[in-house]
Amino acid sequence: SGRLPGLSLLFRRLPDSKGFLVHYSHTRKMPMTYPPIEKQVSSLDLSELLERLGCPQDSLWYWCSKDASSGCFEDWQLRDKGTADNHTRECYSAYTVSELAESLPRAINCKVASVEKSDSGYRELVLSVGKTIIHGGGWYALYSDPHLANKTPVYTQYDETLANTLAKMRVYLIYLLENGLIKAEDL
């Protein structure tokens, strides 16, 4: 039938004790782990805030309010796009890390009080993202001027998960835009 024998055994994903999916392969000695989807999308609070701020509600995942007929004991549950489309109650986009990363500009022109500012009053700030050893060892996202010797960050956000860090930066960029500190063409 064209199927290779044992192909289904070649790659298996099984949950471990912490809910991480562990990828087992006959070709790898060490299993690869994947965090649960709740750690790969923006939190319910940030998803709701982004919706209130006018972000498009188009994502692969959604936080949906409890459906009484489902028997779910949680107030909110994470649903994929296919099941969220059929959900009649309140839903918010639960943006994935890649969706949030695509929504953030690589660089912004921002009004910054500085002796070194350009004639227009704006400086180009470049986005950096990474793991941090401070703030509990989570993630950071920051915009800084790469031309300054000390590269002091101007706008920084921290969180335990990368998705929430990027969502917080998206919220902050909307604040900067609404207060005239960055230009609309940057977003």
Side-chain angles (χ1 to χ4, degrees), residues 61-72:
W61 292 92
Y62 291 84
W63 287 106
C64 296
S65 63
K66 178 177 145 184
D67 185 353
S69 65
S70 72
C72 178

Side-chain angles (χ1 to χ4, degrees), residues 3 19 46 48-49 55 71 76 78 97 111 149 151 153 177 179:
R3 250 186 100 174
L46 286 167
E48 183 180 10
L49 179 58
C55 288
W76 292 85
L78 201 55
V97 168
K111 276 189 182 178
K151 293 187 176 40
L177 178 65
N179 288 285

Side-chain angles (χ1 to χ4, degrees), residues 107-123:
I108 57 174
N109 290 305
C110 187
K111 276 189 182 178
V112 179
S114 171
V115 178
E116 300 175 34
K117 68 183 177 182
S118 65
D119 295 337
S120 66
Y122 286 84
R123 267 195 314 183

